[in-house]
């Protein structure tokens, strides 16, 4: 039994190959992080801070820890080099990539790719030279209105809805046959 500091909630624990560390996603009041617990020393450490972006489904082999993350708004597989603590995107799924699993020698990645027809199991080479840099939007997964070209607060307040919002409307029975 291990006490987790800060009353945080552990998720998706996985052992490293030497069985002397446990990696896990941690949910706390400041969002999600990937942390480790050293069985030998009892030490806790943070590897990656995802803010309030969802991260889940960890797997660890060799020098890498892979997980599912929603940094771009679409779930994809990401890898953290445990030596350098650099996080990079591994997949570019159109609808989502889930449940990553590395082969025993860390040269192959298996994952579930979501398509319009359901899930496909994908087997691909796990080649760090093909990984893409992780580009985080500003401020824990949110971008400013200027970056997204959204209306500002002032512009939003000037938007008017057509019609009379205080008017009364006639209630009629909805009929499925006449509204096909």
């Amino acid at each position: 039994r291990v006490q987790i500091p800060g009353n945080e909630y552990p998720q998706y624990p996985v052992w490293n190959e030497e069985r002397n560390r446990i990696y896990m996603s941690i949910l706390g009041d400041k969002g999600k992080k990937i942390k480790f617990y050293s069985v030998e020393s009892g030490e806790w450490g943070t590897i990656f801070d995802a803010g309030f972006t969802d991260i889940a489904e960890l797997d660890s082999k060799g020098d890498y820890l892979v997980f599912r993350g929603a940094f771009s708004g679409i779930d994809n597989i990401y890898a953290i080099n445990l030596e350098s603590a650099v996080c990079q995107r591994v997949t570019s799924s159109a609808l989502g990539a889930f449940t990553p699993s590395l082969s025993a020698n860390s040269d192959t990645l298996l994952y579930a790719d979501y398509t319009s027809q359901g899930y496909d199991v994908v087997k691909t080479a796990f080649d760090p030279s093909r990984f893409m840099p992780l580009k985080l939007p500003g401020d824990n997964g949110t971008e400013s209105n200027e970056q997204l070209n959204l209306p500002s607060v002032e512009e939003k307040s000037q938007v008017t809805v057509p019609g009379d919002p205080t008017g009364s409307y006639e209630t009629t029975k909805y009929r499925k046959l006449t509204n096909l």
Side-chain angles (χ1 to χ4, degrees):
R1 194 173 272 240
V2 176
Q3 182 68 30
I4 299 172
N7 199 27
E8 296 174 318
Y9 183 75
Q11 301 173 319
Y12 306 100
V14 294
W15 288 96
N16 67 344
E17 288 179 306
E18 294 80 24
R19 300 263 213 232
N20 60 3
R21 273 191 177 184
I22 302 172
Y23 299 107
M24 65 194 80
S25 167
I26 295 282
L27 175 61
D29 59 353
K30 295 182 180 166
K32 286 193 169 184
K33 297 176 182 177
I34 294 178
K35 289 190 169 186
F36 71 86
Y37 173 73
S38 172
V39 177
E40 295 166 344
S41 69
E43 170 192 12
W44 284 91
T46 300
I47 297 172
F48 182 74
D49 186 348
F52 289 96
T53 302
D54 188 32
I55 55 174
E57 301 166 355
L58 283 65
D59 190 29
S60 172
K61 296 283 187 310
D63 293 337
Y64 283 91
L65 178 73
V66 293
F67 64 96
R68 173 180 55 86
F71 299 102
S72 68
I74 298 172
D75 290 304
N76 270 294
I77 307 303
Y78 293 83
I80 297 176
N81 182 315
L82 295 171
E83 296 294 318
S84 66
V86 172
C87 182
Q88 295 177 298
R89 186 164 45 103
V90 178
T91 64
S92 288
S93 176
L95 300 177
F98 303 86
T99 59
S101 181
L102 288 170
S103 64
N105 60 0
S106 300
D107 68 347
T108 304
L109 173 69
L110 289 167
Y111 64 94
D113 188 39
Y114 189 70
T115 69
S116 61
Q117 303 298 311
Y119 287 99
D120 288 334
V121 177
V122 177
K123 179 180 177 183
T124 186
F126 188 72
D127 182 3
S129 68
R130 295 177 37 208
F131 295 171
M132 295 153 275
L134 174 62
K135 294 180 183 172
L136 294 173
D139 194 23
N140 287 334
T142 60
E143 294 177 321
S144 70
N145 289 347
E146 292 79 25
Q147 291 170 314
L148 293 174
N149 294 323
L150 296 175
S152 66
V153 174
E154 294 79 23
E155 292 170 321
K156 285 181 184 177
S157 63
Q158 296 172 2
V159 175
T160 58
V161 178
D164 181 13
T166 59
S168 62
Y169 298 93
E170 180 184 344
T171 304
T172 59
K173 185 168 173 82
Y174 177 79
R175 301 194 189 286
K176 292 180 186 177
L177 187 60
T178 58
N179 290 292
L180 288 176

